[in-house]
Amino acid sequence: MLKFLKGVVAGSGAGVKDLPYNIGEPYSSAWGSWVHYRGTSKDDGAPVSIFALSGSNANDGHLAAGRNGVKRLRTVRHPNILSFLHSTEVETVDGSTTKVTIYIVTEPVMPLCEKLKELGLVGTQRDEYYAWGLHRITKAVSFLNNDCKLVHGNVCVASVVVTQTLDWKLHALDVLSEFDGNNETSTGPMLQYEWLIGTQYKPLEMVKSDWTAIRKSPPWAIDSWGLGCFIYELFSSTKLSKTEELRNTGSIPKSLLPDYQRLLSATPARRLNSSKLLENSEYFQNKLVETIQFMEILNLKDSVEKDTFFRKLPNLADQLPRQIVLKKLLPLLASALEFGSAAAPALTAFLKMGSWLSTEEFSLKVLPTIVKLFASNDRAIRVSLLQHVDQFGESLSSQIVDEQVYPHVATGFSDTSAFLRELTLKSMLVLAPKLSQRTISGSLLKYLSKLQVDEEPAIRTNTTILLGNIASHLNEGTRKRVLINAFTVRALRDTFSPARGAGVMALCATSSYYDVTEIATRILPNIVVLTIDPDSDVRSKAFQAVDQFLQLLKQYDKASSGDATGIGMQTSSIPGNASLLGWAMSSLTLKGGKPSEHSSVTPANSSAPHSSAISNASSGTEDANIAPIQVRSSTDIADHPGPESPTSTDGWGELENGIHDDLENEKDGWDDMEPLEAPIPPAALANIQAAQKRPVSQPKSQVSISRPKSISKMNTDDDDLWGSAAAPVPKTTKAASSRGASFDNDPWDSVAPAPKTTAKKAATVDDDLWGSIAAPEPTTASRPSVGRGRSKPAAPKLGAQRINRTSPGM
């Protein structure tokens, strides 16, 4: 039998040199004659515990008991019993002395008495932790006694160790033996190594060696007594020195005292079964025990129970012992989230617990789980991740974001849910700085180009804001292609007023990236139009932006002698615009309703302006109460084509060139160059033909009244915004003979005044058709006008040339 046990022990290893573990420093305490060492794996450096037992020869009784303990530890498996990893037996010869040592390698654990001192728990938290630990040891004892019909024989504080997750586990199985209750005729010891048990831990029948009475007793009788000894040592914080000390119950909790007394009953048959202790004791009914038990059987709970539990968990975690939450609950939550058994609300509790960790521990214990969750198909999990991205985004490395996180996040840009598209957009404020230039140019900007013409106005606004925020992370070439196009061609022409305001602010905040040529030819012409915007907040921002960019041009004029390469620009001077981060990266659509029903309004005089969702009634696209001049100004913004922009291969250039066919119906700032009200060709042609039949020249007195006053003045300044940018506009109307006259002096306008009620439509039609029939200014000698009944020849006019070229009557 001894040779067999020796073979079993030695079967796991050939010697200490071959032991695939490094032996470290020993702990100050251990059960029996064993020495408990810290250790690490030679393969991966993982921590382990190594127990060593030495004897003078192979027949030493302690070694025989140790081999029994190794065999039992290898064969008995339970969550609350120490986990076996490896064992070996080594013989060393020192002169004439032979030394035999048994090594057992287990999961990393620490003696209970040392761990309790290290934790230093007091009050309610100590009682809850003790209850949970006692609950674990009681389950282990119940498993041995009731399920396996085994007797441990020496349950005490020394035989309990604590894992890294603060779980209590039973070990020291050297005395463990089968319960021989059926062999009542046997008089020998039922426990072969009972001599290893200290006298203070032995019940009265074992002290008397009354093995007949022991065999007639229940299987749990001996270990129930041991549980009583364990409870006394645990709460008194002292080692039991004699049996009489068990009568001192002052340190035992009142709710546990009745069960404690029944465990130590003098009659073996009346001792409390450990399984009954688990079922009946009110001592185990506390928040910590109930929380951990719920987590351990999470797969058996329905969705309603899970949802209720996880919504309460963040507040409950504040009331539990902090170290237990971090070392026990946090790993349980991580495992539940990874394997899909936890609901989405669990992520809130998981991140709250993770925030209590150090930066290094957060990276090791929390981030791996989060990265795996980004691949989840559960929309609720994805929403929760995006809502809390600011809590962990900064801790993610650039490589992980670019290779593992972004590919999954990017699917949200094209999601059918506007709420998820918005959350995905806002998450880029944290994730975009960690993306590579290849990912930004090849993927992100294309998604943003689509979102800038999204059906949700709040999303369009936030897209502009995001571009302003990430401008510093774009390379110079990308900034040249994207920023001005996105802010002027699209944002400034958006029908949603906060989007136009965001475009103005974005231009101001990114002014350092534009040279003076771009400011003068592409930015200012687009911003000036907004000074007559229907929305007062947009007008206010536009005036401030015009002042800012003009100031930059003045600074350049003073500092430069004609070189138009650009100078260092100043940051925006618009109040509240010193940092784009405070714009609108707040919730624009509220969860639980249609996205279009939650809108976004930018306060007119906010110190930190931001867009928020607005209702359809106030979306700003059509306003029935605005004055005619405001309606006209809105039309002009759409009527006048913007300055040419460089072509690009990103989303903006493709859309401008008509590559995005799926967006052909979207009327955004790039392709919405047509009038807001489409002209009616028959009516337009009729107006032209009627005008051609009228005299070309009119008295000077009639020129100034050819149109309604308000409409005429605005058209003079607005209609030729792009085409006549090189020629100054006359301050007053002169004789019709002046070369380069404004459109107010044009013969077409003087002979075909537009009615006031149709000023907007007529002007729109006239402008477009005029452009199609316009001829270049004549370079030859002027010819006299063909006006009716006029003896005095008129000065050469551009209008006369157009009539001669296009009129079917001429």
Side-chain angles (χ1 to χ4, degrees):
M1 181 66 179
L2 184 61
K3 292 182 178 179
F4 170 76
L5 291 176
K6 183 177 180 180
V8 170
V9 174
S12 295
V16 68
K17 293 182 180 179
D18 299 324
L19 188 69
Y21 300 94
N22 299 313
I23 300 176
E25 296 295 322
Y27 289 101
S28 60
S29 61
W31 181 86
S33 301
W34 290 88
V35 180
H36 185 181
Y37 294 94
R38 300 172 179 86
T40 57
S41 172
K42 292 181 179 179
D43 295 333
D44 55 7
V48 295
S49 282
I50 301 175
F51 296 86
L53 178 66
S54 300
S56 57
N57 59 74
N59 297 323
D60 189 296
H62 288 87
L63 291 178
R67 296 187 185 101
N68 178 64
V70 173
K71 182 188 73 171
R72 298 295 186 178
L73 197 61
R74 292 181 61 176
T75 56
V76 178
R77 299 283 180 166
H78 188 268
N80 303 123
I81 294 177
L82 186 61
S83 298
F84 173 88
L85 297 178
H86 188 83
S87 67
T88 188
E89 184 172 335
V90 180
E91 291 186 4
T92 57
V93 179
D94 184 10
S96 60
T97 305
T98 301
K99 182 180 180 181
V100 179
T101 305
I102 299 174
Y103 292 98
I104 304 177
V105 182
T106 69
E107 60 181 316
V109 291
M110 186 176 184
L112 175 61
C113 58
E114 295 187 27
K115 193 63 179 181
L116 294 180
K117 292 178 181 179
E118 179 184 293
L119 292 175
L121 299 175
V122 295
T124 304
Q125 292 190 348
R126 189 200 76 154
D127 293 341
E128 289 183 348
Y129 182 57
Y130 283 9
W132 176 56
L134 179 58
H135 186 273
R136 290 299 189 257
I137 298 304
T138 304
K139 287 184 69 174
V141 172
S142 177
F143 169 75
L144 293 174
N145 296 161
N146 298 298
D147 298 336
C148 302
K149 303 302 180 184
L150 296 172
V151 178
H152 184 277
N154 194 201
V155 180
C156 60
V157 167
S159 61
V160 176
V161 290
V162 184
T163 66
Q164 292 182 323
T165 57
L166 300 183
D167 289 306
W168 294 15
K169 294 199 173 185
L170 186 65
H171 82 122
L173 306 184
D174 295 18
V175 187
L176 187 71
S177 300
E178 289 80 4
F179 178 75
D180 192 16
N182 297 326
N183 189 7
E184 298 181 357
T185 58
S186 176
T187 58
M190 186 178 68
L191 303 180
Q192 182 178 1
Y193 305 105
E194 57 87 18
W195 51 270
L196 291 173
I197 305 173
T199 304
Q200 70 273 26
Y201 297 113
K202 291 182 178 180
L204 184 60
E205 64 273 17
M206 188 178 291
V207 173
K208 296 179 179 179
S209 298
D210 190 353
W211 296 108
T212 302
I214 292 174
R215 287 187 171 90
K216 293 180 180 180
S217 302
W220 60 83
I222 294 177
D223 287 338
S224 291
W225 180 276
L227 269 178
C229 298
F230 173 71
I231 292 173
Y232 173 82
E233 290 185 327
L234 179 63
F235 288 98
S236 65
S237 300
T238 58
K239 185 176 180 179
L240 183 65
S241 58
K242 54 184 179 180
T243 306
E244 289 74 14
E245 293 177 352
L246 296 173
R247 301 179 185 274
N248 301 326
T249 59
S251 59
I252 309 298
K254 293 181 179 180
S255 58
L256 187 61
L257 184 58
D259 292 333
Y260 171 75
Q261 293 172 335
R262 292 181 62 189
L263 288 170
L264 296 174
S265 175
T267 304
R270 297 180 61 184
R271 289 177 192 153
L272 181 66
N273 189 342
S274 53
S275 62
K276 298 298 181 181
L277 175 64
L278 293 172
E279 296 173 2
N280 300 334
S281 178
E282 64 181 46
Y283 175 70
F284 297 115
Q285 298 176 2
N286 64 61
K287 295 177 182 177
L288 179 62
V289 175
E290 292 172 354
T291 300
I292 297 178
Q293 283 184 322
F294 188 97
M295 288 295 302
E296 290 179 340
I297 58 173
L298 192 61
N299 289 329
L300 304 179
K301 303 295 182 179
D302 59 38
S303 59
V304 177
E305 290 177 309
K306 291 180 182 179
D307 189 73
T308 303
F309 172 78
F310 287 122
R311 292 188 186 279
K312 294 180 179 178
L313 187 57
N315 293 330
L316 183 61
D318 290 326
Q319 306 171 25
L320 301 178
R322 180 62 55 87
Q323 296 189 56
I324 300 173
V325 169
L326 297 180
K327 295 184 178 181
K328 179 62 180 178
L329 282 182
L330 187 65
L332 287 175
L333 263 180
S335 177
L337 285 168
E338 288 182 23
F339 293 101
S341 58
L347 187 61
T348 302
F350 181 66
L351 291 174
K352 181 176 182 177
M353 295 177 186
S355 66
W356 298 335
L357 295 171
S358 64
T359 303
E360 295 76 12
E361 290 179 320
F362 186 87
S363 300
L364 293 174
K365 298 181 179 180
V366 177
L367 289 185
T369 299
I370 291 175
V371 172
K372 293 178 182 178
L373 290 179
F374 272 106
S376 173
N377 294 324
D378 187 344
R379 180 170 288 187
I381 291 289
R382 291 168 58 195
V383 167
S384 186
L385 283 170
L386 296 176
Q387 287 176 327
H388 298 92
V389 69
D390 58 318
Q391 298 183 26
F392 59 82
E394 296 298 332
S395 301
L396 294 170
S397 67
S398 297
Q399 182 179 2
I400 290 178
V401 172
D402 198 55
E403 298 177 0
Q404 301 181 46
V405 175
Y406 175 78
H408 299 294
V409 174
T411 60
F413 285 123
S414 54
D415 196 274
T416 56
S417 169
F419 181 68
L420 191 54
R421 293 200 304 274
E422 177 197 328
L423 288 177
T424 305
L425 176 66
K426 292 193 291 184
S427 71
M428 289 299 107
L429 186 64
V430 177
L431 300 180
K434 297 179 179 292
L435 296 177
S436 65
Q437 288 298 319
R438 181 177 181 180
T439 302
I440 291 176
S441 301
S443 177
L444 177 60
L445 290 179
K446 291 185 178 181
Y447 283 120
L448 295 184
S449 73
K450 294 183 179 180
L451 290 183
Q452 210 176 16
V453 292
D454 193 90
E455 60 183 6
E456 293 295 329
I459 292 179
R460 300 199 300 269
T461 305
N462 259 6
T463 303
T464 301
I465 292 164
L466 176 64
L467 281 170
N469 277 277
I470 67 173
S472 60
H473 303 289
L474 306 178
N475 59 43
E476 184 177 357
T478 303
R479 285 198 293 261
K480 290 287 185 183
R481 291 195 308 267
V482 172
L483 294 186
I484 296 182
N485 291 338
F487 297 152
T488 61
V489 180
R490 284 189 172 173
L492 297 190
R493 302 182 184 189
D494 199 294
T495 55
F496 187 55
S497 59
R500 298 196 296 274
V504 175
M505 297 172 68
L507 285 169
C508 294
T510 56
S511 60
S512 60
Y513 303 124
Y514 313 128
D515 57 38
V516 290
T517 303
E518 291 173 326
I519 292 175
T521 62
R522 302 184 63 193
I523 296 177
L524 276 175
N526 284 284
I527 295 180
V528 168
V529 181
L530 296 184
T531 58
I532 55 173
D533 192 89
D535 187 272
S536 60
D537 186 46
V538 176
R539 292 198 301 271
S540 175
K541 290 183 174 66
F543 279 116
Q544 295 176 21
V546 168
D547 292 340
Q548 176 185 340
F549 283 109
L550 285 177
Q551 185 63 30
L552 293 175
L553 293 180
K554 290 178 182 178
Q555 293 175 5
Y556 172 79
D557 181 59
K558 293 179 181 179
S560 174
S561 59
D563 182 13
T565 57
I567 59 173
M569 302 300 180
Q570 301 294 326
T571 309
S572 171
S573 61
I574 292 181
N577 197 37
S579 173
L580 286 177
L581 298 179
W583 277 11
M585 303 316 290
S586 58
S587 180
L588 296 187
T589 52
L590 303 176
K591 190 174 183 181
K594 294 181 180 179
S596 60
E597 296 175 355
H598 310 291
S599 62
S600 170
V601 177
T602 304
N605 297 316
S606 173
S607 60
H610 66 281
S611 295
S612 56
I614 68 167
S615 63
N616 292 333
S618 59
S619 62
T621 54
E622 296 96 3
D623 195 338
N625 297 324
I626 57 179
I629 188 170
Q630 293 174 324
V631 174
R632 173 60 186 160
S633 66
S634 298
T635 305
D636 290 339
I637 294 172
D639 286 344
H640 293 295
E644 293 183 359
S645 59
T647 59
S648 66
T649 58
D650 54 48
W652 282 274
E654 291 173 357
L655 186 61
E656 187 179 23
N657 296 330
I659 293 179
H660 290 302
D661 295 333
D662 58 335
L663 299 177
E664 61 182 356
N665 295 325
E666 295 288 348
K667 294 299 183 181
D668 57 81
W670 285 68
D671 50 14
D672 193 6
M673 298 304 183
E674 299 298 326
L676 293 180
E677 295 185 12
I680 302 174
L685 293 176
N687 288 340
I688 294 175
Q689 291 173 358
Q692 291 171 343
K693 295 178 182 181
R694 297 183 182 182
V696 175
S697 299
Q698 295 290 338
K700 296 180 180 180
S701 60
Q702 297 180 6
V703 174
S704 61
I705 61 172
S706 61
R707 293 187 181 183
K709 185 176 181 179
S710 60
I711 301 300
S712 176
K713 181 180 179 179
M714 183 177 60
N715 289 343
T716 301
D717 297 334
D718 237 6
D719 288 348
D720 200 21
L721 181 60
W722 312 115
S724 303
V729 179
K731 297 182 179 178
T732 59
T733 55
K734 302 296 182 180
S737 61
S738 287
R739 179 174 297 273
S742 68
F743 282 112
D744 276 343
N745 294 332
D746 196 297
W748 291 103
D749 294 337
S750 63
V751 298
K756 184 174 183 179
T757 56
T758 59
K760 171 184 172 183
K761 183 174 180 179
T764 303
V765 172
D766 199 40
D767 293 343
D768 278 1
L769 294 178
W770 180 256
S772 64
I773 64 176
E777 188 175 352
T779 57
T780 60
S782 60
R783 292 180 295 176
S785 174
V786 293
R788 299 179 184 177
R790 301 295 181 185
S791 59
K792 182 179 179 180
K797 293 185 64 64
L798 180 61
Q801 293 299 319
R802 292 177 180 171
I803 293 172
N804 291 336
R805 290 171 60 87
T806 62
S807 174
M810 301 296 291

